[in-house]
């Protein structure tokens, strides 16, 4: 059996549940709590001044996590459970989904609760709870965890052809950095509102030596080979999360409307080429496996060599090294062809 190692940490933007206070209903005056204590039709309001903070999670299972050392909220090492998915409705009839994450102490008691919005939440707006779902929260979190390309992205095939991702089919032969030519095992596709945790990141043409604009999901990691260590990572090969490069200019969040996301799965986690630069393919772990069709998941087995053994482990760059407005420019210069 293949040796398994922990998957990389995932950063998600959360509010403290205490930032949401019930203004009407059975729990009036109380802050947002876990599913067992919530009531449908209660109305909550996000408090003025509430701000999201980055919660960094290491997966221990489909609904279990440990807080990573680089988190900006919660306590490193604490255990967190995915409790439920909530559906809110605003006064204009729009619906917003959010996930509830519950931190527990050593005795298993609730220590803190966090809200991960899957769509934008505004302060001074009344949100009515119209759905409390404890059954499919892990599928929704799996969608957030999946690395995805957007419609219109050009992928490099074995022949050198640059083909639009929406035109790819299972079995197409794609050029990979580490394992030569590999066939696509599965292609996932979904259309979601481009807000909150699903708002894509635009990397303008040329920013990282990419041929055209590259638009990817926030947690998508790009592979950078540094010829000189410009960011102080201490190594030449790097995996850089797209959201960590946002500077509001050449790398920005594309918020609003809808976005078509595509996931490419190979027998192993691969580095492929999108718009001429290297980027990762889908990684199967306890978070993302739930999005696979049942037949595909069953065929791959419980432990998947090339995914479970994390061939690219240790290459991810911490956000602290990229917390500067010129990070993308430094990486472009470091990796100049």
């Amino acid at each position: 059996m293949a040796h398994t190692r922990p998957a990389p940490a995932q950063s998600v933007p959360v509010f403290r549940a205490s930032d949401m206070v019930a203004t009407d209903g059975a729990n009036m005056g109380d802050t947002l709590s876990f599913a067992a204590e919530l009531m449908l039709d209660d109305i909550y309001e996000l408090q003025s001044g509430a701000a999201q903070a980055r919660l960094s999670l290491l997966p221990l299972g489909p609904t279990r996590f440990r807080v990573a050392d680089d988190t900006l909220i919660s306590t490193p090492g604490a255990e967190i459970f995915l409790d439920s998915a909530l559906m809110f409705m605003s006064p204009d009839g729009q619906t917003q989904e959010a996930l509830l994450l519950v931190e527990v102490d050593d005795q298993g008691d609730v220590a803190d609760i966090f809200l991960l919005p899957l769509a934008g939440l505004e302060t001074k707006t009344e949100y009515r709870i119209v759905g409390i779902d404890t059954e499919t929260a892990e599928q929704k979190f799996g969608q957030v965890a999946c690395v995805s390309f957007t419609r219109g992205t050009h992928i490099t095939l074995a022949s050198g052809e640059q083909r639009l991702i929406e035109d790819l089919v299972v079995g197409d032969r794609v050029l990979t950095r580490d394992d030569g030519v590999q066939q696509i095992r599965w292609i996932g596709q979904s259309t979601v509102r481009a807000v909150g945790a699903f708002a894509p990141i635009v990397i303008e043409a040329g920013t990282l030596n990419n041929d055209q604009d590259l638009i990817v999901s926030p947690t998508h990691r790009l592979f950078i080979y540094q010829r000189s260590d410009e960011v102080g990572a201490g190594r030449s090969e790097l995996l850089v999360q797209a959201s960590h490069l946002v500077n509001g200019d050449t790398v920005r969040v594309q918020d609003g409307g809808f976005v078509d996301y595509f996931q490419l799965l190979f027998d192993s986690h691969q580095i492929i080429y999108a718009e001429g630069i290297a980027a990762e393919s889908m990684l199967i772990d306890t978070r993302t496996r739930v999005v696979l069709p049942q037949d595909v998941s069953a065929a791959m087995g419980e432990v998947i060599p090339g995914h479970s053994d994390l061939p690219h482990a240790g290459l991810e760059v911490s956000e602290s090294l990229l917390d500067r407005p010129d990070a993308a420019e430094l990486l472009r210069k470091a990796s100049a062809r």
Side-chain angles (χ1 to χ4, degrees):
M1 180 176 288
H3 174 64
T4 61
R5 291 184 285 179
Q10 178 183 0
S11 297
V12 291
V14 299
F15 290 105
R16 274 201 158 87
S18 56
D19 290 330
M20 293 283 285
V21 177
T23 58
D24 195 12
N27 290 312
M28 184 174 177
D30 293 342
T31 60
L32 194 68
S33 187
F34 48 87
E37 295 189 347
L38 297 177
M39 296 291 291
L40 290 174
D41 288 328
D42 277 7
I43 295 174
Y44 285 80
E45 189 172 306
L46 184 64
Q47 298 300 286
S48 179
Q52 288 177 283
R54 179 173 58 79
L55 176 64
S56 187
L57 300 172
L58 290 165
L60 301 177
T63 61
R64 238 180 104 229
F65 307 90
R66 192 171 303 285
V67 180
D69 290 339
D70 64 341
T71 193
L72 295 182
I73 196 171
S74 186
T75 305
E79 194 162 351
I80 284 185
F81 289 85
L82 180 58
D83 175 75
S84 57
L86 303 181
M87 179 76 75
F88 295 100
M89 180 178 287
S90 56
D92 61 2
Q94 294 292 318
T95 56
Q96 291 87 5
E97 286 188 292
L99 300 178
L100 272 177
L101 297 152
V102 177
E103 178 187 332
V104 297
D105 60 23
D106 293 340
Q107 287 73 46
D109 296 324
V110 174
D112 211 340
I113 303 174
F114 303 98
L115 185 71
L116 169 58
L118 302 184
L121 294 177
E122 302 291 336
T123 59
K124 299 181 180 179
T125 300
E126 293 185 331
Y127 293 101
R128 184 184 302 273
I129 295 182
V130 294
I132 304 171
D133 180 4
T134 59
E135 300 297 326
T136 65
E138 62 185 87
Q139 283 86 356
K140 297 181 188 301
F141 190 86
Q143 292 176 330
V144 175
C146 280
V147 297
S148 306
F149 298 98
T150 56
R151 180 179 294 276
T153 302
H154 292 86
I155 303 297
T156 303
L157 301 186
S159 63
E161 176 191 350
Q162 305 287 307
R163 186 175 296 176
L164 291 172
I165 195 165
E166 59 264 32
D167 295 335
L168 295 174
V169 296
V170 171
D172 275 345
R173 292 158 54 85
V174 172
L175 180 64
T176 74
R177 183 182 187 273
D178 302 311
D179 295 319
V181 176
Q182 295 291 313
Q183 289 187 319
I184 298 174
R185 179 71 172 266
W186 175 76
I187 301 173
Q189 180 182 353
S190 61
T191 301
V192 298
R193 293 175 62 190
V195 293
F198 290 116
I201 306 299
V202 179
I203 302 166
E204 287 190 354
T207 299
L208 293 176
N209 301 306
N210 42 312
D211 296 329
Q212 301 185 58
D213 288 359
L214 177 62
I215 308 175
V216 295
S217 57
T219 60
H220 209 131
R221 296 179 299 173
L222 311 174
F223 179 88
I224 305 290
Y225 182 84
Q226 295 189 110
R227 289 172 170 79
S228 59
D229 188 6
E230 297 293 333
V231 297
R235 58 187 182 278
S236 57
E237 295 185 341
L238 311 175
L239 280 174
V240 179
Q241 187 170 304
S243 63
H244 294 170
L245 296 176
V246 170
N247 55 25
D249 183 18
T250 58
V251 184
R252 63 185 185 277
V253 178
Q254 184 171 282
D255 188 85
F258 290 83
V259 59
D260 293 330
Y261 276 135
F262 294 81
Q263 300 86 39
L264 297 182
L265 176 67
F266 299 87
D267 287 330
S268 298
H269 182 235
Q270 297 292 345
I271 303 299
I272 62 175
Y273 296 92
E275 302 301 356
I277 63 171
E280 69 174 328
S281 66
M282 184 178 180
L283 173 66
I284 299 300
D285 58 27
T286 56
R287 300 164 299 177
T288 59
R289 188 172 191 129
V290 293
V291 308
L292 294 178
Q294 189 171 0
D295 59 334
V296 174
S297 179
M300 298 190 85
E302 288 303 314
V303 178
I304 313 167
H307 288 267
S308 302
D309 56 3
L310 293 177
H312 304 105
L315 299 185
E316 188 159 14
V317 181
S318 68
E319 185 177 8
S320 61
L321 291 179
L322 302 171
D323 188 18
R324 47 188 301 172
D326 61 345
E329 176 62 12
L330 289 176
L331 290 172
R332 186 193 66 80
K333 290 179 179 177
S335 60
R337 302 167 185 168

